[in-house]
Amino acid sequence: MPEPHTLPAGPRRGRRIAAVSVGIVLACASTAAFLTVRDSASASTPDTAEAAAGAERRAANPFLRAPGSPMTVIAHRGASSAAPENTLVSDEVARRAGARWIENDVQPSKDGVPYVLHDSTVDRTTDGTGPIRTLTARELDRLDAGTWFAPAFRGLRIPTLAAQLADLRLRGGNLVLEIKGSHSRDQVARIVEEVRDHGMADRVLVQSFDPEALRHTRALAPELPLALLRDTLDPDPVAVASELGLSAYNPAVGQLTAHPGTVEKLHAAGVAVMAWTVDTADRWKTLDSLGTDAVITNRPAELAGWNAAWAQSRPTGS
């Protein structure tokens, strides 16, 4: 996803980060209301039927935040403020910080291998040059993806999607997998194949700015939950979520603060809301008050700590 602002970079070797487990929990199901009419026949009004349907949708979506629980921490490209983004080291730092969810970006090499990289070129985050889609897997595997961040990370490689999935399966964690840029059906099929081959279908949420990539995913792998990324809100986010079969609608943070009723409307339709990319406590507080389900952040340790303090300060029974 696009960077909202530049964050200070640098290793934090030796730093002990308190791990705060922040999980995604199932939303509680509501009890459907029934209307008794004068002639004693049971019948549901359209409004009542819609309320019952909405309750069922909410109960079926594990990405919705349960009452009384904190916002879910999603580590943006791993712990990207503390380690080179989109590397296995960044994922590990995020895990130790308390993030159970890692967000990444996936794009194909020239020969069709999905790699974890944000930019369209390798220039910024490696010692190489050129668009990723013009480089072969062999060429990408030789690049240094750590030194740009700090000398201590020299020798890190751009992970393939397969390598990241294997690492998450072995060491723990779930993946918010962003299909970056335009992808053909065959390219999406390769991504789906990797997820299934690693037995990670129940631990992956697929997101994209491109609705067509989500349509391909839905057709190829209906078991995978979907999320739509947005810089600007659609005129009717609920209608878009319904058309695409979304589990989550993920707008830029400024869109939620400018349109505070959006979360409530999406929740009523059984759709979760994940805001990106949010790194300050004042904005976390605002998103919490709006009912936002999850936050994608470059600072997972700090958000996990903020969540822990939030939990302790909540009035009993809230």
Side-chain angles (χ1 to χ4, degrees), residues 1-5 230-234 249-263 273-280 282-284 286-287 290 292 294-296:
M1 291 180 293
E3 291 285 6
H5 51 76
R230 279 295 189 239
D231 287 302
T232 304
L233 292 182
D234 294 285
Y249 186 93
N250 299 355
V253 58
Q255 293 297 297
L256 289 184
T257 55
H259 306 278
T262 302
V263 175
V273 178
M274 302 174 178
W276 59 270
T277 301
V278 195
D279 297 324
T280 60
D282 58 338
R283 286 201 154 183
W284 296 336
T286 298
L287 291 173
L290 293 175
T292 310
V295 174
I296 300 171

Side-chain angles (χ1 to χ4, degrees), residues 182-197:
S182 177
H183 278 62
S184 69
R185 183 183 174 93
D186 287 345
Q187 288 169 334
V188 173
R190 177 66 183 269
I191 293 169
V192 168
E193 179 184 13
E194 297 283 11
V195 172
R196 285 174 169 165
D197 285 351

Side-chain angles (χ1 to χ4, degrees), residues 181-256:
S182 177
H183 278 62
S184 69
R185 183 183 174 93
D186 287 345
Q187 288 169 334
V188 173
R190 177 66 183 269
I191 293 169
V192 168
E193 179 184 13
E194 297 283 11
V195 172
R196 285 174 169 165
D197 285 351
H198 286 83
M200 289 286 286
D202 61 342
R203 292 165 59 184
V204 169
L205 169 70
V206 176
Q207 68 173 2
S208 182
F209 283 98
D210 182 14
E212 196 61 25
L214 297 181
R215 292 188 182 98
H216 289 325
T217 304
R218 187 179 184 185
L220 292 162
E223 74 275 17
L224 290 177
L226 305 177
L228 179 66
L229 287 160
R230 279 295 189 239
D231 287 302
T232 304
L233 292 182
D234 294 285
D236 188 346
V238 171
V240 171
S242 177
E243 190 269 320
L244 293 174
L246 302 180
S247 293
Y249 186 93
N250 299 355
V253 58
Q255 293 297 297
L256 289 184

